[in-house]
Amino acid sequence: MPVKCCFYRSPTTETMAWSENMDTLLTNQAGLDAFRTFLKSEFSEENVEFWLACEDFKKTENAEKIASKAKMIYSEFIEADAPKEINIDFSTRDLISKNVAEPTLKCFDEAQKLIYSLMAKDSFPRFLKSEIYKKLVNSKQVGNHKKWLPFL
């Protein structure tokens, strides 16, 4: 068996690692891009877009930006007939509607948990069975047979 450098992680291994859990997928840019492509094909990309918007929102430090970002997230994903309206229950939507008047970094946490859970239980398993994912894994395997670091 060939010895590989400790810094080497084959594209196949990386692509296969996405199947371990959704966090691994979401923290890898190529994985996230593939997942988004899959969700677009299923007309449910608003879920990952909302999740990403919440992740970005939680990093906001300026109070004015917190308020403006909260309003943007609310109008884009939460309010009735929003352009990218996510599917959440009435009580969560109602709670956010009240919280957005004086937003905190936690005002979308419940909805984000619901959407993450929905993606983890529904979209993610379908993604792993999708042609998009299978083609990625297969293309990495075929290309990887001859790919070695130049200094090995």
Side-chain angles (χ1 to χ4, degrees):
M1 181 170 181
V3 176
K4 293 182 182 174
C5 172
C6 59
F7 299 108
Y8 180 78
R9 182 165 185 179
S10 75
T12 305
T13 306
E14 187 173 273
T15 307
M16 294 296 288
W18 302 343
S19 68
E20 292 170 7
N21 61 56
M22 203 166 72
D23 288 332
T24 304
L25 176 74
L26 294 174
T27 57
N28 179 285
Q29 189 59 54
L32 179 59
D33 291 344
F35 191 52
R36 286 178 97 161
T37 300
F38 169 74
L39 290 175
K40 281 181 187 178
S41 75
E42 293 210 327
F43 305 101
S44 61
E45 66 189 287
E46 70 278 355
N47 292 331
V48 75
E49 288 182 15
F50 172 72
W51 186 86
L52 290 167
C54 290
E55 288 298 292
D56 178 63
F57 177 73
K58 288 190 241 180
K59 297 173 188 166
T60 308
E61 295 178 5
N62 178 306
E64 286 178 18
K65 285 187 178 182
I66 289 172
S68 66
K69 281 185 176 184
K71 287 177 184 163
M72 185 279 301
I73 291 171
Y74 181 79
S75 64
E76 194 167 340
F77 298 102
I78 307 296
E79 72 183 357
D81 298 321
K84 298 178 182 179
E85 185 177 357
I86 56 170
N87 187 10
I88 54 174
D89 59 90
F90 174 79
S91 60
T92 304
R93 190 177 310 276
D94 192 47
L95 178 66
I96 293 170
S97 298
K98 292 173 184 168
N99 289 342
V100 96
E102 292 183 37
T104 67
L105 293 178
K106 296 185 178 288
C107 67
F108 297 107
D109 283 1
E110 283 305 309
Q112 188 182 21
K113 286 176 195 170
L114 288 171
I115 293 302
Y116 182 91
S117 179
L118 175 70
M119 289 190 302
K121 291 177 183 169
D122 185 47
S123 305
F124 181 62
R126 282 199 325 276
F127 168 71
L128 296 177
K129 294 175 186 169
S130 73
E131 286 303 310
I132 292 170
Y133 181 68
K134 288 176 186 175
K135 283 180 183 176
L136 270 171
V137 171
N138 289 335
S139 71
K140 300 293 185 189
Q141 286 175 339
V142 169
N144 198 34
H145 287 299
K146 296 178 183 172
K147 256 187 192 169
W148 294 98
L149 290 178
F151 52 83
L152 293 179

